[in-house]
Each structure stands twice: as C-alpha cells, then as structure tokens.
Amino acid sequence: MGKSYGFFEVPSTTAAIDALDIMCKTANVEFVTWEKKLGGRLVTIIIQGSVSDVTQAMERAAVSCIKEPVAQVVIAHPHEEVVRMVKYSQTGILEEITKE
C-alpha cells in the first residue's frame, strides 16, 4: 500500500469520531492520529492508506458525517517532513495516554 495521508477537520470531537468510523468502514484506511484544538471544538483526523482508499474514505465522510468538514486534503506520497510532523503528533498523543 503506497502511503498517503488524509487530513479531515471537523467541528467537535463527536463529529470527528463519526467521520473516522465512516472512513474506516468505507475503505482500507487506518487511523494515524488526531489533533484537538479549541477544547475539542475543532478536530483534525489523520488517516493513511493508498491514494484511492484515502480519497474514497474522505469523500464519503464529507457527505455522511454529522457535521460538515471545515477542511480536508489528501496528500499523496507525502514529503518526509510531512511524515515527520505526523509522527511528532503521534508521539504527543502517546505521551498523553501514558500520563493517565
């Protein structure tokens, strides 16, 4: 599977979880990480998979999610700096989980 990222930003944590569920049920994609801003009122979900799977998953979530996305983008074969940024985001999530 050629790695591509999908970034899907929606208002509210509940909508983000709904979007992720739709994406994972629609295509062969996997959850990478998420970023919550403004106390969870704005959430960006990052998924990965092939370009076609990520595109299909994001398109389906955009029309089926309980809230309309604020922004979305598919990055095919991301530059190593983008990969590094996403890994850094994952590390922050892992550190947060281990503190609990």
Side-chain angles (χ1 to χ4, degrees), residues 43-96:
V43 182
T44 303
I45 293 177
I46 304 172
I47 61 169
Q48 72 179 9
S50 69
V51 177
S52 60
D53 282 331
V54 170
T55 301
Q56 180 184 18
M58 303 252 304
E59 287 174 354
R60 181 71 180 156
V63 298
S64 300
C65 186
I66 60 174
K67 292 205 176 195
E68 204 171 308
V70 174
Q72 65 185 65
V73 66
V74 175
I75 300 178
H77 313 292
H79 187 275
E80 63 188 51
E81 290 301 316
V82 174
V83 173
R84 191 170 73 114
M85 180 186 78
V86 169
K87 285 183 180 178
Y88 178 77
S89 175
Q90 284 177 302
T91 303
I93 297 294
L94 292 174
E95 287 175 4
E96 197 174 296

Side-chain angles (χ1 to χ4, degrees), residues 7-23:
F7 295 80
F8 192 88
E9 190 168 74
V10 291
S12 95
T13 302
T14 303
I17 292 168
D18 180 48
L20 179 60
D21 184 59
I22 292 165
M23 288 187 264

Side-chain angles (χ1 to χ4, degrees), residues 28-44:
N28 185 24
V29 296
E30 51 186 53
F31 172 70
V32 177
T33 190
W34 68 345
E35 292 283 332
K36 296 186 291 182
K37 301 295 178 203
L38 304 173
R41 292 185 305 240
L42 193 58
V43 182
T44 303

